[in-house]
Amino acid sequence: MLQFLPSVFTEGLLNPNEYCYTMPPDLIGALTTGISLATAICLLWILYHGLCVFPKFHQSINFQILSKSAFGQWILAQGKVIKGDKSGNLLNLTGSNIDVSQGKDDAMEFVKTKTALEEKLQRLLIQEKIFKDIRSSFDPEKFFQTAVNQIGEAFKVDRCLVHIYLESPTPHIPLVAEYKRPEITEPWVIDVPVIGNPHVVRILSQDAAIVCHDVDKEPLLKGALHLCHQVGLKSMVGVRTSYQGKPNGMIGIHQYHYPRQWLDEEISLLEAVAGQLGIAIAQANLLTMERQRRIELDWHNKQLSEEIRIRQYTEEALRKSEQRWQLVLNGNNDGIYDWDITTGYAFLSTRIKTMLGYEDSDLINHVDTWRNLLHPEDFQRVIASQKAYLEKKSPQYLVEYRLRCKDGNYKWILARGQALWDETGKA
C-alpha cells in the first residue's frame, strides 16, 4: 500500500482536501514494474494530473515515505516526461530521488521552536496587557471590569466572573464584575455560596487553579450539577486571588455548549493574572481604607473646627457679657454676691469687699468665706432664712445681718437675692 502522507502537502504543491488518498496495491504494481520507487511515485503523480500531454514538463515534489525500519525519510523526487503521444499516453519518463531528511528535520524543528516561542511571546504580551490595565486604576469598579474584560477576551471564553472574598460576618463571594460574549444576553444572577460548596472551598484554599474540563465528571461539582446544566456550563477553571497567603477574591472562566480541554499554558497564565489581581485588590482595599480614614478625619476636623468656632463665639459673648456685668458692678454702689450652690464657689464683687475694708485679693471667692464673716449671733437666723427661701418656703430672700470688717468691727448689711431652680426643683 503506497500512501501520500499529510506532510507531503506542506510544500503547497498539493491540496490535502483533494489529493490525500491511498492507492490500491495492484495499481501501483501495474504501473511501477521494473522502475525505482521514486520514479514510480513521480509517475503516479504525473499520470494523476494528466501531465504527460506536455512533453517538456518538468516538476519536483517533496514527500515523506516510511522505510522498513519505520524511520521517516524525506525524499526529493524529480520527474521529467521525455515523450508522450497526442492521445495522452506516456511513452518515456525519467526521474531521480535525493534523501533530504536532515535538512527537512532541521527545518521542522526550527518551525516547531519558532511556533512555541511565538506562542509564549503572545502569552507574555497578553499577560503584560492585563497587568498594565489592572495597575492603571485603583478604583475598584474600574479595574475589576477592566480585568474581567481582558481575561474574557484573552481566553476567548463565554463568560468570566470576578468575585471578592469577604470573611465576615459569614464567608461569601459577592460578584463584582462580569464579562460575557455578546450573544449571551442574560447576566449572571446566581449567588454562589461558600459554606457547603466544596468546589469554592477548594478554590479558596490554594493558589493553584482548579481545572474542570467536563463539569459532569467533576466530583467537586456533583452537588451543583443542576446549576451547571441550568446555565449550559460545560467546562470551567476557578482560581483564587490572594495577598500574603490569604484569599481576597476569585476568578472563574466558563465555557458553554461543549467541554473544553484547558491547556497548561492557559492555566499558568490565569494563575499569574490571579496573582496580580490579588495584589491589586489588596492595594485597592488599603486605598479604600485610607480614603475612608481621611473622610472620617475630615469629618472630625470639621466637627472640631465647628466646636472651636462655637466655643470662640461663646467665649467672646461671655467676655462681652462680663464686660457689661463689670460696668454694672462698677456703676452700682451695692456689693454683688453670686453663689454656685453645687460647687460652693461664691463670687464676691470688689465693692462688697471694699465695703468691709478688704482688698480684692484678701478674700477667697467661696461660700465659706462669707459664712466666716457672719456675726455669731446672726449666723443661725441667716442660714435658716436662706434655707427657707431655697426650699421655696419663703417667697423672697431678704435679710439683715452683720459682717466682720477687716479692722474687726462689724457692719450691718441688707441682703437681697434671687435663686434659680432646675426642673427637679433643686436650687
Side-chain angles (χ1 to χ4, degrees):
M1 183 74 75
L2 178 64
Q3 182 177 8
F4 283 84
L5 301 178
S7 54
V8 174
F9 308 103
T10 59
E11 299 302 311
L13 297 175
L14 303 178
N15 186 338
N17 295 326
E18 298 178 3
Y19 302 115
C20 186
Y21 65 94
T22 301
M23 300 277 303
D26 54 342
L27 179 57
I28 296 174
L31 295 174
T32 61
T33 302
I35 62 175
S36 70
L37 178 59
T39 304
I41 291 173
C42 289
L43 175 61
L44 293 174
W45 187 80
I46 294 171
L47 286 176
Y48 186 81
H49 287 276
L51 297 176
C52 56
V53 297
F54 303 102
K56 295 184 180 180
F57 178 79
H58 183 277
Q59 181 65 47
S60 298
I61 63 171
N62 279 341
F63 58 92
Q64 188 178 27
I65 63 173
L66 294 177
S67 66
K68 290 182 180 180
S69 60
F71 290 101
Q73 291 178 293
W74 281 98
I75 302 297
L76 173 62
Q78 296 178 316
K80 182 177 181 181
V81 177
I82 302 301
K83 188 176 182 181
D85 60 21
K86 294 181 179 181
S87 300
N89 298 315
L90 178 65
L91 299 180
N92 195 345
L93 175 68
T94 183
S96 65
N97 61 331
I98 304 173
D99 187 348
V100 292
S101 299
Q102 183 61 44
K104 273 291 181 182
D105 290 341
D106 291 344
M108 290 182 67
E109 184 63 28
F110 173 77
V111 171
K112 183 179 178 181
T113 302
K114 179 182 177 184
T115 301
L117 290 174
E118 288 175 345
E119 290 176 352
K120 184 174 182 180
L121 177 60
Q122 185 64 22
R123 290 194 300 272
L124 290 174
L125 292 175
I126 292 173
Q127 179 175 313
E128 180 59 28
K129 178 172 175 50
I130 294 175
F131 292 175
K132 181 180 179 181
D133 289 340
I134 290 175
R135 292 191 297 263
S136 65
S137 173
F138 287 115
D139 183 338
E141 285 189 15
K142 290 183 179 179
F143 82 70
F144 279 140
Q145 195 57 53
T146 297
V148 79
N149 289 341
Q150 291 290 352
I151 296 170
E153 292 171 1
F155 287 88
K156 295 180 173 59
V157 292
D158 291 316
R159 194 189 300 268
C160 178
L161 305 174
V162 171
H163 305 259
I164 58 172
Y165 175 66
L166 301 176
E167 195 168 12
S168 61
T170 57
H172 59 294
I173 48 171
L175 180 68
V176 293
E178 174 187 10
Y179 163 85
K180 58 183 184 299
R181 286 187 183 275
E183 57 268 23
I184 299 176
T185 58
E186 294 297 326
W188 185 264
V189 295
I190 299 175
D191 185 15
V192 180
V194 176
I195 299 175
N197 188 336
H199 183 250
V200 171
V201 171
R202 177 70 65 82
I203 292 174
L204 294 174
S205 69
Q206 61 186 54
D207 289 329
I210 301 299
V211 182
C212 176
H213 302 292
D214 188 341
V215 297
D216 291 322
K217 299 178 181 178
E218 176 54 63
L220 294 174
L221 291 172
K222 185 177 181 180
L225 280 180
H226 64 289
L227 294 177
C228 297
H229 295 161
Q230 179 181 332
V231 298
L233 180 61
K234 296 296 184 181
S235 300
M236 67 179 298
V237 179
V239 62
R240 78 174 187 177
T241 63
S242 63
Y243 181 69
Q244 295 183 343
K246 295 183 179 180
N248 58 13
M250 189 179 81
I251 303 173
I253 54 176
H254 295 181
Q255 192 69 49
Y256 300 148
H257 309 305
Y258 64 91
R260 175 170 172 173
Q261 294 298 311
W262 305 98
L263 303 178
D264 292 341
E265 294 81 1
E266 294 174 324
I267 297 168
S268 297
L269 176 57
L270 187 62
E271 290 172 346
V273 171
Q276 288 293 315
L277 187 57
I279 295 173
I281 291 174
Q283 291 175 333
N285 289 340
L286 290 175
L287 185 60
T288 300
M289 292 172 60
E290 177 64 19
R291 287 174 178 171
Q292 185 62 33
R293 190 189 68 81
R294 289 183 180 180
I295 291 173
E296 292 177 357
L297 182 60
D298 289 343
W299 183 84
H300 286 299
N301 287 338
K302 289 180 181 179
Q303 288 291 105
L304 181 60
S305 297
E306 182 64 15
E307 290 176 3
I308 292 174
R309 187 189 67 80
I310 294 174
R311 183 177 297 177
Q312 289 175 340
Y313 175 81
T314 303
E315 290 176 352
E316 179 64 17
L318 180 61
R319 186 183 65 79
K320 291 181 179 180
S321 177
E322 288 178 347
Q323 287 178 346
R324 289 192 295 269
W325 173 247
Q326 195 62 42
L327 288 174
V328 172
L329 293 179
N330 294 336
N332 194 333
N333 198 40
D334 295 340
I336 303 299
Y337 179 89
D338 186 12
W339 174 29
D340 186 338
I341 299 175
T342 303
T343 63
Y345 175 82
F347 170 74
L348 301 175
S349 69
T350 303
R351 174 57 183 158
I352 198 173
K353 294 177 182 179
T354 57
M355 285 170 55
L356 301 175
Y358 295 100
E359 297 293 332
D360 190 47
S361 59
D362 291 341
L363 300 177
I364 299 173
N365 290 329
H366 197 273
V367 66
D368 289 341
T369 301
W370 172 77
R371 288 173 179 169
N372 289 333
L373 295 177
L374 277 173
H375 194 286
E377 295 178 358
D378 299 335
F379 189 87
Q380 295 297 331
R381 176 177 57 83
V382 173
I383 296 300
S385 176
Q386 188 181 79
K387 181 179 179 182
Y389 173 70
L390 294 177
E391 293 177 354
K392 296 185 178 181
K393 295 177 181 179
S394 175
Q396 62 179 354
Y397 177 69
L398 181 64
V399 63
E400 290 184 357
Y401 52 81
R402 286 165 288 182
L403 291 178
R404 187 179 67 251
C405 297
K406 187 174 184 179
D407 59 6
N409 295 317
Y410 284 89
K411 184 176 289 188
W412 282 95
I413 301 295
L414 172 63
R416 298 184 297 269
Q418 174 66 49
L420 295 176
W421 292 270
D422 59 21
E423 61 276 4
T424 65
K426 185 177 180 180

